[in-house]
Amino acid sequence: MADSGRNKYASPSGSPQAGRKKAQQSPSSRTRYQVSAPGHCFRKVTLTKPTFCHHCSDFIWGLVGFLCEVCNFMSHEKCLKHVRTVCSCMAPTLVRLPVAHCFGPAGQKRRFCCVCRKNLEGSSALRCEVCELHVHSDCAPFSCSDCRLCHQDGTQDYDTYHHHWREGNMASGARCEVCKRTCGSSDVLSGMRCEWCGLTAHASCYVTVRPECGMGRLHNMILHPACVNICSRNFSKMHLFRISETSQCELDNLDDVDSVTPAAAKDNQSTTPTDTGKQTLKVFDGDDAVKRNQFRLVSIPRITKNEEVVETSLRAYYLPDEPQDYELQLQVQDQQPALLTDDIINRNGTADDKAVFKDFAPDVWLLRAKPRDSEVVRIYPGWLKVGAAHVSITVGKESTVDWAIKEALVQLGKQDENPDDFNLVEVFMGCKQVQRQVLTSQELLLDKLQEIRKVSLRQMNQTRFCIVENRNRVPQVNLLLGGLPLQLDREEYTQLLRTHLEVKNHLVTITHIYSSQGAVVLQISCFSEAERIFMLAKDSSIDGKQLTSLVIPQIITSKLPKGGCPLLVYVNPKSGGLKGREILYNFRKILNPHQVFELTNGGPLAGLHTFREVPRFQILVCGGDGTVGWVLGVLEAIRHKLACPEPAIGIIPLGTGNDLARVLRWGAGYSGEDPHSILLSLEEAEEVEMDRWTILLDAQEMAEDGKENGFLEPPKIVHMNNYFGLGIDAELSLDFHHAREEEPGKFNSRFHNKGVYVKVGLQKLSHTRNLHKDIKLQVDKQDVELPSIEGLIFLNIPSWGSGADLWGSDSDSRYGKPRIDDGMLEVVGVTGVVHMGQVQGGLRSGIRIAQGTYIRITVTKPIPVQVDGEPWIQSPGQIIISAAGPKVRMLRKYKGKQKKQPSGTPKEVRAESPAVSEGAQ
């Protein structure tokens, strides 16, 4: 990053009166006020609406406030000398290590833009999926890459992690860790919060907080970024964190606007033909902006001087430089190439049906930097593990990159090092991607700066130069490829990959094979080859099945904190309507996104493979009972390959019935509880064991003489966690399943799903099946006579059909009290839909038939069956139910009151109440 050579940000001394010096004598004679925080350009304004101070978050009484013309920071007069919040135009200078953001559509809660500090309204708002950055879509290009550092990136080795502070958008009741006073606000962007540990503080207090971050109350659950290693040079952050590409496509579509988009001036003053005192200019900041037609609207008086126009244009592009170093050039549009898009940088939530220019078109100008004979360039050493320290060198017309490296090494105390062992890297800290380019040794640095400014002044403000050691390290990229045929050996998988993906054997090695899941893990020693295979696999299919491709991080177990138990989170975003997507975002933000996996993107295998060497971890499944069964099934299949073969599993219920979650006290369904509190409850939960059962369909047992009875196809094997039903219960599930397949978009809430169940149940009121005549039952090799029933249900847990107690609570000397770990199944019958409705209402229980550990059922005609809510029609044959190996460990919510959390770890509750809008003129 280059400096203009002037020290513009001198700190005021003494009282506010002493600080009321003119920052510069503008043509309009408006007095500017300087503060100790760099970048701000305050002027006195008259308030026309109820307004709050951004420093103390108190209401500003009276008609006078002080507004920053760059970032809209509003302040009391008394607060000016205490302001420590840096202006948005200086944000790139605070970045310790550039990390790009992962933008997606904003949520429903009210937030404030972290660039222009205004309220986010409309569909153009964006949020980072990893940190608490919220911006307008037109403000996003002016945000820099200051996201959380969640992993070591190949050559990096950071063992000390500092707090990652983000301003505002916190709970209105949050308290400062230093002074213990309220620091949050729902009215303005105010207060600072660490996005790792949750510690909150005032902007004037957080600088006194110890810089090292201990990860807060959830430190045992969080996968520490020092433990995660991933080579990510050619992959976007969306790919690294396995974030669905739909949200990224929505963001990219903002660059493809064809119609004339409305725009507002920087200060939101309306511009109309009748406003004879103002004129509006279209200002471009470089050749790239002209090509893309990305401009800013600048509203200025009709009678003004060039210096003020230049200064206003710099403020519109969040540039902190002096106007004397820039000039405006008239841009003749008909001499430019065809414009690709219209203005995308000026929406700020304006209504799409308003036209900005009706009777006249504004003048078009190009903001250019004046040629300079010398510049001061900041050089950042790439080997520092903490801080954003830099050295400054003055470069002239003859200064080469090689000379700059030697000069920087002298100032950094490495004059004895060989300059040939170092490179100078140009780093563009864009909001969506960090781009690095190694400069050649004889390249003229001053020409490079002028070239960047010609392309984009905004890009120059977000560019820095780093000096790094020249090391040749062999990259190791791990890709998980799924969707392959099942049960093949290494040679067959190798041949498949060579045929369909043209894999180069000298660069690619198969390190792990999961034949039961149809997946392999590739270790690739070339970035370009890894990127090619990753993208090609996403567009390939084998035997009609689409392949999946995921970048897998490596967990360095030797760096795991002692006594830590990281949490592996699975979220099914299709469960619970929109709640699944919001939970996914919240857990990525609270935890390390490398430990949060979206089940619709590769299934459970990716997470279990990532955690395969972790000696102790827990699992949290966010979904319905079917999602829990899916995770348990994959865990059972690859348990022998895990260092922790029996991780305990907790649940956030997002399904319709959620019977297993009810039994384990996690509730009947998720209703917007605070994710931070849920994680604390998980930490305090108790471990319990639960039986799992194997169901063999169409199975034939060995005859007594040792000869196996013949059958045409091998038995179908399924696993059961909750219950197994035959007859009317399964028939209702089957009808519901068919209705959901016809119109899947309507089944996005538990209330609607239960309504469909009631509807299909009413249609079966007059239906009689006489199930007891169509099946024969054996329990522990003893024949059991069935009463007249329409449905037969085998229970593993004491909850059925959305919480109903089908077995009943009455004591019976013939049977023991059911438990989820007693190794027994309860056999219950129902006489029809009316009986099922009475059970649901708590008026009666089912018909108790038996308890046992080994069940054999003979079916004489096709009959509906369902396992944990998954129904189908079962043909005649044998069904055998037996215990499925070892019990699984589940987490049951603690009955007592949640332990009080220490101060400094506030909950992640966000204020949703509407705030009073601000206004100034």
Side-chain angles (χ1 to χ4, degrees), residues 406-471:
K406 295 176 182 177
E407 188 70 19
L409 289 176
V410 171
Q411 295 193 34
L412 292 169
K414 288 182 173 284
Q415 58 270 16
D416 297 332
E417 299 283 348
N418 184 3
D420 294 336
D421 295 335
F422 294 86
N423 289 328
L424 190 64
V425 181
E426 173 195 340
V427 182
F428 172 53
M429 303 181 294
C431 61
K432 293 193 294 182
Q433 187 176 8
V434 178
Q435 300 176 0
R436 294 177 172 86
Q437 178 185 358
V438 178
L439 303 181
T440 59
S441 60
Q442 297 304 313
E443 192 168 357
L444 296 177
L445 206 52
L446 189 61
D447 291 347
K448 183 65 179 178
L449 297 176
Q450 294 174 352
E451 176 188 339
I452 298 174
R453 285 196 177 96
K454 186 178 180 182
V455 173
S456 172
L457 296 176
R458 172 180 59 86
Q459 179 176 336
M460 184 66 245
N461 191 45
Q462 296 176 343
T463 298
R464 67 169 48 165
F465 296 93
C466 296
I467 181 171
V468 298
E469 297 180 68
N470 185 11
R471 294 180 179 178

Side-chain angles (χ1 to χ4, degrees), residues 693-915:
W693 301 84
T694 298
I695 303 176
L696 278 71
L697 305 166
D698 296 328
Q700 300 289 338
E701 286 194 315
M702 191 78 73
E704 292 184 1
D705 59 0
K707 295 181 180 180
E708 187 175 358
N709 295 324
F711 50 88
L712 297 178
E713 58 183 22
K716 180 180 178 182
I717 300 176
V718 295
H719 292 282
M720 187 228 336
N721 303 309
N722 298 354
Y723 38 73
F724 170 54
L726 302 90
I728 187 62
D729 167 54
E731 195 168 348
L732 297 184
S733 295
L734 189 62
D735 290 347
F736 174 84
H737 179 73
H738 289 156
R740 183 167 57 182
E741 282 189 334
E742 291 176 0
E743 297 179 293
K746 293 185 177 180
F747 291 77
N748 54 11
S749 71
R750 290 192 298 273
F751 181 79
H752 177 269
N753 294 354
K754 291 181 179 179
V756 175
Y757 266 116
V758 172
K759 179 181 177 181
V760 298
L762 293 176
Q763 295 172 351
K764 304 291 183 182
L765 278 175
S766 59
H767 179 79
T768 56
R769 177 176 288 275
N770 296 322
L771 181 69
H772 58 286
K773 297 180 180 179
D774 299 333
I775 63 174
K776 296 179 181 179
L777 175 66
Q778 273 189 359
V779 178
D780 292 337
K781 297 189 177 181
Q782 298 294 322
D783 292 333
V784 176
E785 184 177 353
L786 295 174
S788 178
I789 55 176
E790 296 296 321
L792 187 64
I793 302 163
F794 301 85
L795 299 174
N796 184 44
I797 62 174
S799 178
W800 166 85
S802 300
D805 186 4
L806 188 60
W807 180 261
S809 56
D810 297 338
S811 58
D812 191 331
S813 58
R814 297 176 299 169
Y815 308 111
K817 186 177 180 180
R819 299 196 322 270
I820 63 174
D821 61 345
D822 59 1
M824 304 277 283
L825 283 177
E826 285 69 49
V827 186
V828 189
V830 292
T831 58
V833 173
V834 174
H835 187 184
M836 292 171 62
Q838 292 172 333
V839 172
Q840 293 281 356
L843 301 177
R844 58 183 293 195
S845 58
I847 302 174
R848 297 180 181 178
I849 295 176
Q851 269 184 329
T853 59
Y854 182 83
I855 310 293
R856 179 187 175 97
I857 307 164
T858 303
V859 180
T860 59
K861 63 167 56 176
I863 189 172
V865 300
Q866 63 100 357
V867 176
D868 294 340
E870 298 297 326
W872 69 90
I873 298 293
Q874 179 62 34
S875 57
Q878 303 289 325
I879 301 176
I880 297 174
I881 309 175
S882 59
K887 302 177 188 293
V888 294
R889 298 164 66 185
M890 307 296 293
L891 290 172
R892 185 165 59 190
K893 191 174 182 180
Y894 180 62
K895 255 188 178 181
K897 201 172 182 180
Q898 193 176 93
K899 298 176 184 177
K900 188 176 180 181
Q901 58 183 2
S903 62
T905 55
K907 295 181 179 180
E908 293 292 316
V909 181
R910 302 291 187 220
E912 298 184 38
S913 58

